[in-house]
Amino acid sequence: MPFRPRYTGLIDKYRDRLPVPDDARVISLGEGNTPLIRLNNIPRKIGKNVDLYVKFEGLNPTGSFKDRGMTMAVTEAVEQGSQAIICASTGNTSASAAAYAARAGIQSFVLIPDGKIAMGKLAQAIMHGARVLQIEGNFDDGMRLVKELAAHAPVTIVNSINPYRLQGQKTAAFEIVEELERAPDFHCLPVGNAGNITAHWIGYCECSGRGEGALTQACSFCKGSCRYASAIVGDRPVMVGYQAAGANPFLRGEMVDEPDTVATAIRIGHPQSWDQAWAASRESGGWFDQFEDSEILTAQRLLADHDGVFCEPASAISVAGALRDIRSGRIPEGSTVVCTLTGHGLKDPDVAIRQAGDAIVKVAAELDAVKRAILDRL
Ligand code: F0G
C-alpha cells in the first residue's frame, strides 16, 4: 500500500493553490474531501441516460459547504491578529463561523434574520459560543449592517465578500475534477448571495489552466501520487444557477427587496457577488432558472426517498433544476452533470417533518397492531 497521509483538511491538501503563508497556524476541522455520489435511481426513474452526481457538501464538519471558505477566512483572520469575526447569515455561515472561531479561540458575532432560520443552524451558533444578534430584518439588512459595523469595530467580516472565503470554496471544483479526471459538462447549484457559483468558476478555471492560480505542479498532499497531478483539463463546465421564485434577482435582472422562500438559506434579494456570478454564467455559456417552493420540496423528498441523500431545501434546488433541464433536453443525454448539495437535511428538521404526511402512524403497543400496520405496506 502506498503511504497516504491522514486527511487534515483542505488547506493542507491544496496549500500550493491557496494564499496561505507557510508558517500560518491553520484553523481546520478537517473540512472538504466530501463524497461525489453517483445517482442511480433518479436518472432511471426519469428514463434519461445521464451521469448525474451530487457533491454532498452537507458532510462537511458543520454540515454545509461554508466550512471550505471558513477554514481560509478564519486562518487568515488569526494570521492578521484578529480577535473577533462577524457575519450576516441565513444560518449556515453563522454555524460555520461560530465553530471555526471556537476552534481558533476567538469571538464570533452573527447577525441572523428575524425568524426564518432553520433550527439546526441556530443551535449550532449557540453551542459554538457565538453572540447571536437576531435583527428585525432579513439577510440583506444584516449584510448592510455588518459592512457598516466592520468599518467602526475591530472585527473581521467572514461573509463571502471576504476573498479568502471564495479561495477555500474553489477547492470543491478541484475535488470534482480530481475524481472525474475531467470537468463535468454541467455544474448545477443553488444561488443565494452568489459566492459559491463564483468560487466554483474560479476553481474550474484554475483546473483548466486559465485561472490566476492555474495548476502547474503536483498537489502537496500526496507529492504526485494522486490523479490530480495530471488533472489539468482543457474544458470547463457550463455553470447553471437556480434560485427560488420568491428570491430571484438573477431571473429578474435586478435586486429583490422582500425575498421569501421555504429554502431559507437562499432567502436573499441583494446578492453580494452579483457581477462575478453573471461573469461565471456568461463565460461558461450557462443560465439561471427558478423554482417554486413546492418544486424545491418535491426534489428534496425525491432525493432522500429514491437515492438516500438528505439535503436541506436550498440544496435540493440544484437537483430540481438539473432534472428539469435534463428532461427538456437543455442538458443533453450523455452529459456528465454535478449538482452541489450545499447543506445537510438535518439542518432544517422542521420543514422535513411538516411534510411527513402518512409516514408517521400511531399504533397501540401491541403485536397485532404493529403487524397490521406493517402488512399494510408490504
Ligand atoms: N445553499 C445553502 C445551504 C446555503 O446556506 C447558501 C448560502 C447557499 C446555498 C447559497 O450560496 O450564497 O454562495 O450563493 N447561505 C448563506 C448563509 C447566505 O448565510 O449561510 P451562495
Side-chain angles (χ1 to χ4, degrees):
M1 281 272 282
F3 172 71
R4 283 238 160 211
R6 192 169 70 88
Y7 183 82
T8 50
L10 60 85
I11 292 182
D12 282 349
K13 178 164 183 191
Y14 295 113
R15 204 168 188 121
D16 50 356
R17 273 164 270 165
L18 292 169
V20 181
D22 284 346
D23 57 353
R25 177 184 156 219
V26 173
I27 310 300
S28 171
L29 288 163
E31 57 295 309
N33 200 23
T34 55
L36 186 65
I37 303 168
R38 188 167 187 275
L39 299 186
N40 296 323
N41 300 330
I42 293 175
R44 203 177 311 130
K45 181 178 159 65
I46 66 167
K48 294 285 185 184
N49 173 28
V50 284
D51 256 342
L52 182 56
Y53 295 88
V54 290
K55 177 79 168 154
F56 195 11
E57 292 288 277
L59 293 185
N60 273 296
T62 76
S64 85
F65 71 96
K66 305 289 180 180
D67 298 341
R68 289 185 186 273
M70 210 53 75
T71 184
M72 283 294 293
V74 176
T75 294
E76 173 62 17
V78 167
E79 190 66 13
Q80 296 301 324
S82 181
Q83 290 299 313
I85 58 174
I86 190 166
C87 66
S89 179
T90 56
N92 280 324
T93 302
S94 61
S96 185
Y100 282 79
R103 184 86 169 154
I106 61 176
Q107 180 64 48
S108 61
F109 298 95
V110 304
L111 272 68
I112 57 169
D114 195 7
K116 309 237 173 170
I117 173 168
M119 281 301 122
K121 303 174 187 181
L122 186 56
Q124 288 177 291
I126 293 167
M127 287 305 286
H128 292 306
R131 182 110 173 98
V132 180
L133 310 179
Q134 189 153 36
I135 57 164
E136 292 169 2
N138 60 24
F139 169 85
D140 301 308
D141 296 315
M143 199 61 244
R144 171 178 52 79
L145 288 164
V146 160
K147 287 200 281 191
E148 285 169 16
L149 191 98
H152 298 103
V155 290
T156 303
I157 300 182
V158 294
N159 281 104
S160 56
I161 54 171
N162 176 328
Y164 291 91
R165 279 276 311 277
L166 300 191
Q167 285 295 310
Q169 286 171 216
K170 75 181 180 185
T171 60
F174 293 173
E175 290 176 13
I176 292 164
V177 169
E178 221 174 281
E179 206 156 327
L180 297 177
E181 298 188 63
R182 52 167 292 203
D185 300 309
F186 296 86
H187 189 119
C188 304
L189 75 179
V191 174
N193 214 18
N196 211 25
I197 191 170
T198 304
H200 276 78
W201 188 237
I202 295 171
Y204 283 123
C205 289
E206 292 186 9
C207 289
S208 74
R210 276 178 273 203
E212 250 175 47
L215 173 63
T216 52
Q217 61 200 90
C219 100
S220 57
F221 180 61
C222 67
K223 306 287 178 223
S225 65
C226 80
R227 286 174 292 175
Y228 198 83
S230 57
I232 294 180
V233 290
D235 53 338
R236 299 177 289 185
V238 171
M239 301 298 295
V240 191
Y242 300 109
Q243 299 213 283
N248 60 351
F250 285 99
L251 277 300
R252 293 199 201 178
E254 62 183 18
M255 302 299 171
V256 173
D257 283 337
E258 299 288 338
D260 200 18
T261 167
V262 69
T264 52
I266 51 173
R267 187 170 159 257
I268 294 172
H270 289 242
Q272 298 294 311
S273 297
W274 177 255
D275 292 339
Q276 299 93 314
W278 278 114
S281 183
R282 202 177 42 247
E283 287 168 23
S284 72
W287 60 87
F288 293 102
D289 205 348
Q290 61 184 339
F291 287 86
E292 298 298 333
D293 283 357
S294 59
E295 298 171 298
I296 295 171
L297 296 179
T298 301
Q300 184 194 22
R301 188 75 181 261
L302 181 75
L303 193 56
D305 202 20
H306 282 71
D307 265 299
V309 182
F310 185 26
C311 66
E312 66 172 287
S315 312
I317 204 170
S318 61
V319 171
L323 293 181
R324 178 195 280 172
D325 289 332
I326 290 165
R327 280 199 181 100
S328 74
R330 198 170 192 186
I331 294 179
E333 287 205 66
S335 298
T336 298
V337 184
V338 173
C339 297
T340 303
L341 299 183
T342 45
H344 202 289
L346 291 173
K347 292 271 192 175
D348 198 350
D350 298 2
V351 166
I353 290 167
R354 245 185 276 145
Q355 306 174 64
D358 65 355
I360 304 170
V361 195
K362 253 205 161 128
V363 291
E366 291 163 6
L367 182 61
D368 273 354
V370 175
K371 244 170 45 188
R372 257 198 315 278
I374 288 174
L375 292 175
D376 217 32
R377 279 298 170 99
L378 284 179

